C-alpha cells in the first residue's frame, strides 16, 4: 500500500519498527510515509476519546491503538443486512398452490 498522500511506495522493510505510520482517514486504513508524517495537514481521523491518530480500521470498526477505544465506522451503517425479498416467481407459485387448496384451480 503506497502513501495515501504522495503515493510513495514503502521500501523494503529495514530492521526494527517501520518508520511508516498507519492511520485512518475518512474511515479507510492508510499508510503515511516518513516525509508526509512531518506535515500537519494530514487530515487523519482522530480518536474521539483521546484525540490520537493512531487508529486501525477493520471490518466496520475503528480502534484506537493509544487508549483502546473502539467505535463503529459511520460508513458501515449503510452496509446493513440486505432486505429480504422473495425470489421472483415464488408469489405466483404460492398463489397457484393456494388456488389448488381452495379448489379454484
Ligand atoms: Zn507520503
Ligand atoms: Zn484513543
Amino acid at each position: 500500500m503506497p502513501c495515501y498522500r504522495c503515493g510513495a511506495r514503502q521500501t523494503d522493510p529495514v530492521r526494527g519498527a517501520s518508520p511508516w505510520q498507519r492511520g485512518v482517514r475518512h474511515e479507510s486504513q492508510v499508510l503515511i510515509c516518513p516525509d508526509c508524517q512531518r506535515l500537519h495537514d494530514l487530515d487523519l481521523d482522530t480518536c474521539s476519546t483521546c484525540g490520537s491518530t493512531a487508529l486501525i480500521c477493520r471490518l466496520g470498526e475503528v480502534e484506537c491503538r493509544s487508549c483502546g477505544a473502539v467505535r463503529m465506522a459511520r460508513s458501515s451503517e449503510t452496509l446493513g443486512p440486505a432486505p429480504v425479498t422473495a425470489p421472483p416467481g415464488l408469489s405466483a407459485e404460492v398463489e397457484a398452490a393456494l388456488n389448488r387448496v381452495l379448489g379454484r384451480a
Side-chain angles (χ1 to χ4, degrees):
M1 190 157 62
C3 171
Y4 88 87
R5 197 172 183 285
C6 69
R9 293 274 169 185
Q10 195 165 11
T11 49
D12 289 335
V14 285
R15 236 177 298 180
S18 168
W20 284 59
Q21 184 190 330
R22 288 203 294 171
V24 175
R25 183 171 181 269
H26 299 169
E27 301 188 336
S28 300
Q29 187 76 57
V30 294
L31 275 177
I32 306 111
C33 74
D35 287 339
C36 290
Q37 283 172 39
R38 296 191 214 109
L39 304 170
H40 295 287
D41 61 344
L42 291 176
D43 193 23
L44 295 172
D45 289 4
T46 56
C47 173
S48 57
T49 304
C50 71
S52 170
T53 56
L55 304 178
I56 309 170
C57 188
R58 59 187 183 202
L59 293 171
E61 286 180 347
V62 177
E63 181 181 339
C64 175
R65 295 170 74 198
S66 293
C67 71
V70 177
R71 67 172 169 86
M72 301 303 290
R74 283 188 302 274
S75 51
S76 70
E77 287 171 12
T78 58
L79 300 174
V84 178
T85 52
L90 183 66
S91 57
E93 240 171 79
V94 170
E95 200 179 337
L98 273 175
N99 285 340
R100 274 197 301 276
V101 170
L102 299 173
R104 294 191 302 202

